[in-house]
Amino acid sequence: MDNKELIELAKKAREYSYSKISEFKVGAALLTKEGKVFMGCNIEDPSGIGVTNICAERCAIVKAISEGYIEFEKIAVVGGRDSCLEECLPCGVCRQYLNSICPRIKIVSLDNETIKTYNLQDLLPYAFNEKFDS
Ligand code: ZN
């Protein structure tokens, strides 16, 4: 699956965003090593307790792992308010989460109409690493 297709799936996932507090809607599409895609959206806790919110990236990863998939190639992320998209990269929590599970994953983003690709390691230098996979 190419990056453009993955971005389109992230846009689709974004439609399900539950973000009544921030109104910042995020969608993610996670590609497994096997070629399966898991989609996720941000889900905010209406109580306003920030720690209980979940980002689109972690939503997609939790879905994938709970269905037996653990190796990931890349994740596309799109976000913004209303219909306006802006470049949206994973937050610090998601960067660490991705690093702990799949440190070599690529991040695919959309900056205006330009698709960009990042290595997670470039977005999270000096990451905390307790577990290393091969
Ligand atoms: Zn996040």
Side-chain angles (χ1 to χ4, degrees), residues 55 57-58 91 94:
C55 299
E57 300 92 317
R58 285 180 285 135
C91 74
C94 287

Side-chain angles (χ1 to χ4, degrees), residues 5-126:
E5 292 171 305
L6 208 57
I7 286 285
E8 290 306 313
L9 290 173
K11 287 180 181 175
K12 178 73 179 165
R14 183 176 173 268
E15 293 174 14
Y16 301 114
S17 168
Y18 188 76
S19 48
K20 295 182 184 214
I21 298 169
S22 72
E23 297 183 357
F24 193 91
K25 299 174 184 278
V26 183
L30 174 69
L31 181 66
T32 70
K33 182 181 173 187
E34 296 84 356
K36 189 169 172 63
V37 175
F38 288 88
M39 294 163 37
C41 64
N42 61 327
I43 302 167
E44 294 178 348
D45 180 344
S47 73
I49 304 171
V51 74
T52 55
N53 296 336
I54 184 164
C55 299
E57 300 92 317
R58 285 180 285 135
C59 177
I61 287 181
V62 166
K63 287 171 66 178
I65 291 176
S66 68
E67 293 187 28
Y69 294 87
I70 189 66
E71 295 185 73
F72 310 116
E73 289 189 8
K74 53 190 172 181
I75 185 167
V77 185
V78 298
R81 289 186 171 78
D82 303 320
S83 61
C84 184
L85 291 176
E86 55 192 74
E87 187 175 30
C88 183
L89 295 171
C91 74
V93 172
C94 287
R95 291 178 196 196
Q96 180 59 54
Y97 195 77
L98 289 165
N99 182 71
S100 299
I101 294 168
C102 45
R104 290 173 186 77
I105 196 167
K106 302 252 190 260
I107 313 296
V108 181
S109 73
L110 186 63
D111 185 8
N112 290 315
E113 297 302 314
T114 303
I115 294 174
K116 295 181 173 177
T117 305
Y118 299 88
N119 291 314
L120 176 63
Q121 300 307 311
D122 294 331
L123 299 179
L124 190 66
Y126 312 108

